[in-house]
Amino acid sequence: MAIGSAPEPVPVDALESLMARYQQSDHHAATALIERVSPLLHRYFLFQISNRRYAEDLLQETWMRIHKARHTYRTGEPVLPWIFAIARHTGLDNYRKTRRLESRERQVEVLPEHPATRFAPAEPVTPDMDAILQALPDTQREVVVMLKVLGMTIDEVARATSSSAGSVKQKAHRAYEKLREVLVGASRK
């Protein structure tokens, strides 16, 4: 998944209108809202290392929570931050649940050996975006994904993450500095 390919922008007023109609039990509006926002949510979960393997399940769980909480959306307010706040909490709940379950699992003593690669790549491989983003702390990765992959504004990210715009800017700045260090280090190898 290329980080440079931004999702096709959806007019915000169209999403807000769909959400308002969804609150009034308009089935067609609900379907249209799901079709337009699901790719953004799915991409959001795919870029979270701890939630990647559960992205499909988290997407469905997020829509279930949105459905249950749709009455709490205030008409006229931006809808994407409201939706991503729910998605963020869904991801956090899943992370906590997964950590509890994995702490009870028994570890394997000896891992099976993987066959060695016989051939080295002929030309330099471009850095994998997932590997680069793994260098960031979760909060910084989340901000970068929301800003650069999902195309959200700083104010929308601030609302979705329950933080201030200044905090989002600071996390983004620190993330960009860290990414710059990682990319410079990778190019020197």
Side-chain angles (χ1 to χ4, degrees), residues 157-178:
V157 174
R159 285 184 178 183
T161 59
S162 301
S163 55
S164 68
S167 175
V168 170
K169 289 178 184 178
Q170 184 181 42
K171 287 176 187 172
H173 176 73
R174 288 179 178 167
Y176 300 150
E177 289 295 317
K178 179 69 175 176

Side-chain angles (χ1 to χ4, degrees), residues 29-111:
T31 302
L33 184 68
I34 291 169
E35 288 174 355
R36 291 184 181 181
V37 178
S38 286
L40 297 173
L41 287 171
H42 191 255
R43 186 175 289 180
Y44 170 73
F45 288 125
L46 285 175
F47 274 97
Q48 293 178 344
I49 305 307
S50 60
N51 291 328
R52 176 175 294 146
R53 63 183 168 180
Y54 305 108
E56 292 290 330
D57 295 336
L58 289 170
L59 178 63
Q60 291 178 13
E61 177 65 23
T62 299
W63 281 113
M64 293 297 293
R65 289 183 181 195
I66 289 169
H67 181 71
K68 289 177 184 175
R70 71 186 182 279
H71 67 280
T72 65
Y73 170 73
R74 292 184 293 217
T75 305
E77 292 287 320
V79 72
L80 281 180
W82 182 81
I83 288 173
F84 276 96
I86 293 172
R88 182 173 186 259
H89 288 283
T90 303
L92 288 171
D93 290 347
N94 179 69
Y95 174 76
R96 289 180 191 123
K97 176 183 170 187
T98 303
R99 294 281 295 184
R100 275 193 317 270
L101 292 174
E102 287 177 353
S103 69
R104 295 181 194 143
E105 290 180 359
R106 206 168 120 182
Q107 296 297 319
V108 176
E109 294 292 325
V110 178
L111 295 175

Side-chain angles (χ1 to χ4, degrees), residues 12-22 29 73 79:
V12 173
D13 56 342
L15 292 178
E16 291 171 1
S17 171
L18 289 172
M19 186 63 199
R21 289 177 30 219
Y22 175 35
Y73 170 73
V79 72

Side-chain angles (χ1 to χ4, degrees), residues 107-126:
Q107 296 297 319
V108 176
E109 294 292 325
V110 178
L111 295 175
E113 291 185 32
H114 296 287
T117 306
R118 293 183 183 193
F119 304 103
E123 55 187 66
V125 178
T126 57

